[in-house]
Amino acid sequence: MEKNFKALLRNVKAIILDMDGVLTDGTLLLIPGSDPVRNMNIKDGYAMQLAIKKGYLLAVISGGKSAEAADRLKKLGITEIKMAVNDKMEALSEIMHLYDLKEEQIMYMGDDLPDMEVMMKIGVPVCPSDAAFEVKQISKYVSPIKGGKGCVRDVIQQVLMVNKHWE
């Protein structure tokens, strides 16, 4: 890991995540008569819970909507879950104001074009290995792990290790 990236991680107080393509692998299982089914990684869940216990704000800003995903995130302890969001910058501004956060204190993990405006605003933009080319270009770190396969754990673990909070 690059020394400058480690320095950025020392300032992180909030980790904000996109859902589809980051917390999930971006695929939807379409079953007649049912809502689309998403997959989430259990190791991502462990890292998110630990980060919350260590005092970090975890939030999700997503254009997608899933009651099941929101329920899982709530069970992990995430209180800021913004789904069906049309304006991710507005959602980011609300979170920043509510928690008195500065741009450099925020890590945001996104994977596609709707995430770019937020990623260019905050201090630590990161993405999974299968993110869109344009997102990789603006990221301070590209996880070697794909979306929904443990990339969230990768970046959270790095934040917690740099700040001596990983157990």
Side-chain angles (χ1 to χ4, degrees):
M1 182 183 350
E2 177 185 322
K3 188 176 182 179
N4 289 342
F5 183 63
K6 282 186 178 184
L8 291 174
L9 297 182
R10 288 189 185 93
N11 293 321
V12 171
K13 304 283 184 245
I15 301 164
I16 303 176
L17 308 164
D18 178 36
M19 184 173 55
D20 292 320
V22 172
L23 284 167
T24 75
D25 64 7
T27 61
L28 297 174
L29 180 58
L30 304 175
I31 301 170
S34 174
D35 288 335
V37 177
R38 292 167 165 87
N39 291 317
M40 290 185 165
N41 187 289
I42 198 81
K43 291 179 182 172
D44 287 347
Y46 172 76
M48 289 187 284
Q49 282 184 315
L50 181 59
I52 291 165
K53 287 177 188 169
K54 295 296 181 176
Y56 295 85
L57 170 67
L58 266 284
V60 173
I61 300 175
S62 177
K65 185 176 181 182
S66 167
E68 294 77 16
D71 185 54
R72 169 157 172 70
L73 295 169
K74 286 176 191 169
K75 287 177 181 172
L76 292 172
I78 299 173
T79 56
E80 291 298 325
I81 304 166
K82 299 187 178 292
M83 292 197 179
V85 171
N86 291 321
D87 186 343
K88 289 189 176 192
M89 279 301 296
E90 182 179 320
L92 173 68
S93 294
E94 289 172 11
I95 291 170
M96 288 178 69
H97 178 74
L98 185 61
Y99 294 93
D100 194 28
L101 293 166
K102 296 175 176 64
E103 286 98 356
E104 64 269 13
Q105 295 175 313
I106 301 170
M107 172 185 278
Y108 183 94
M109 184 172 238
D111 72 308
D112 211 346
L113 302 182
D115 299 306
M116 288 186 64
E117 186 177 11
V118 169
M119 292 176 75
M120 289 189 285
K121 171 93 172 146
I122 53 89
V124 190
V126 298
C127 69
S129 66
D130 57 346
F133 172 79
E134 297 88 345
V135 172
K136 289 179 181 179
Q137 293 297 109
I138 63 166
S139 292
K140 302 276 188 198
Y141 174 75
V142 177
S143 173
I145 304 168
K146 291 181 178 182
K149 304 296 183 189
C151 63
V152 171
R153 179 188 174 121
D154 173 38
V155 296
I156 290 176
Q157 183 174 345
Q158 289 186 55
V159 170
L160 297 183
M161 286 180 76
V162 162
N163 292 294
K164 301 190 183 341
H165 293 146
W166 183 254
E167 300 177 348

